[in-house]
Amino acid sequence: MNVLLTGSAGFIGSHIAEALTAAGHHVRGLDTRPGPHGTSTGVPGGPADGPAVGDVRDADAVARRLEGVDAVCHQAAKVGLGVDVSDLPDYASVNVQGTAVLLAQMARAGVGVLVLASSMVVYGEGAYTCDRHGAVRPGPRPEEALRAGRFEPGCPACGRPLDPAAVGEDTPPDPRNAYADTKLAQEHLAASWARATGGTVAALRYHNVYGPRMPRDTPYAGVAAIFRSRLANGREPLVFEDGGQRRDFVHVRDVARANVLALEHAATTSPTTTSPTTTGPGALGPGALGPGALRAYNIASGRPRTVGDLAAALAAAVDGPAPRVTGDYRLGDVRHIVARPDRARHELGFTATVTFEDGIAEFARRPVTSS
């Protein structure tokens, strides 16, 4: 297939470009920055396909890149939690307006397959159970509790301690920062586009992605890059809260492979790439990926770790100083968010293959980059 890849020069996008090319697809990039080594596709050493530098909010640039394209893999976004409300216009402009422009141009070009980079942040806090009230969704943690070192959310009904559980894709969204708001808005826009055009959307809700080319000093970097940068300078990693926050760390090469699998699966169910007999009523299972709807997938390893585990593993991999738990916190952070990746395994054939131990050891020894 001919695939337009937005965000092709980025951390995740450049790995997706490589994976798509290796799978035999032709990648056409679009990014506000040139691709690695001056290539236009985002693939190091990959074939050029016209100028790839452009903004997803530029309708003319998007229309040019969509000519002759069979499918779109949309990675371009402004990332990070946001610092304060002054960040809202930038997040809305890049993530919401940019996605709206892309979808409108896809409709005009007759491109009916989309793989959308979504995020675990749409869930807010993860799933929890109370021994009295069953499954509950706690609200944002009050700052006075965080200041006092009470980091675990309590039951919204009785205040008792909760047991964290894994979220599935049908968990109601509960975004809690500017980035999360706009990622959910992207999903809503893509679902509206699918209903209006009969298009097919696979929304991949990435969990904590790490790996080679992860930048040090951009909002997306997250704790893995921050910890590694401190260790590279001979300083101990600083762990917020008590280090017990649970996350699912998934390697970027696994995320890239998930995009290829989702793209190929979506293409087989799209009316633009299959015969009517394979996409008619009853051809797809209930809720399966298909025309006219968005289907969400958790892209995760299924093996959660704590932030403290991550810091310790990185320090051990480079024989660096032990992490220091600071008790500091950030408003807008959630305590635990881990996922069930069963749907991606059953429907897309995706299972993460890079172990935490191997991935962290590789990541710890890679040079730290500034962008």
Side-chain angles (χ1 to χ4, degrees), residues 120-368:
M120 65 172 189
V121 296
V122 302
Y123 297 120
E125 280 284 354
Y128 293 85
T129 58
C130 172
D131 57 9
R132 286 186 182 176
H133 296 97
V136 296
R137 295 296 298 276
R141 296 177 293 170
E143 187 169 10
E144 57 269 24
L146 297 174
R147 281 200 303 264
R150 299 193 305 272
F151 302 120
E152 293 291 341
C155 175
C158 67
R160 292 169 62 85
L162 298 173
D163 292 322
V167 294
E169 290 86 352
D170 295 329
T171 300
D174 185 19
R176 298 189 177 184
N177 55 62
Y179 176 59
D181 291 334
T182 59
K183 295 309 286 185
L184 185 58
Q186 286 183 322
E187 289 195 16
H188 288 323
L189 288 170
S192 295
W193 167 84
R195 287 191 296 270
T197 66
T200 301
V201 184
L204 305 187
R205 292 174 176 169
Y206 302 157
H207 284 249
N208 290 75
V209 186
Y210 74 97
R213 301 182 211 142
M214 190 177 198
R216 175 186 61 201
D217 53 4
T218 66
Y220 191 81
V223 292
I226 293 168
F227 290 165
R228 185 185 65 171
S229 180
R230 288 187 62 86
L231 287 164
N233 291 309
R235 296 181 293 173
E236 75 275 27
L238 301 179
V239 180
F240 278 18
E241 301 188 14
D242 60 0
Q245 310 95 301
R246 295 171 73 238
R247 298 290 189 271
D248 190 308
F249 298 98
V250 59
H251 197 275
V252 67
R253 287 196 295 272
D254 281 326
V255 171
R257 186 165 49 83
N259 274 268
V260 176
L261 291 169
L263 186 81
E264 293 175 344
H265 187 54
T268 65
T269 66
S270 169
T272 61
T273 55
T274 58
S275 66
T277 57
T278 61
T279 58
L284 303 170
L289 180 64
L294 177 146
R295 184 75 161 160
Y297 297 92
N298 287 324
I299 302 302
S301 73
R303 297 180 290 275
R305 303 280 182 156
T306 68
V307 172
D309 290 339
L310 172 68
L314 283 166
V318 297
D319 197 23
R324 176 161 61 90
V325 176
T326 68
D328 292 338
Y329 59 88
R330 293 191 308 174
L331 288 176
D333 278 351
V334 297
R335 179 62 176 175
H336 304 296
I337 175 67
V338 297
R340 293 195 300 270
D342 301 348
R343 181 182 289 179
R345 181 173 67 252
H346 294 151
E347 296 185 13
L348 305 181
F350 170 76
T351 301
T353 60
V354 181
T355 67
F356 179 79
E357 293 76 14
D358 290 345
I360 291 300
E362 175 199 25
F363 176 65
R365 293 178 172 84
R366 288 294 180 108
V368 177

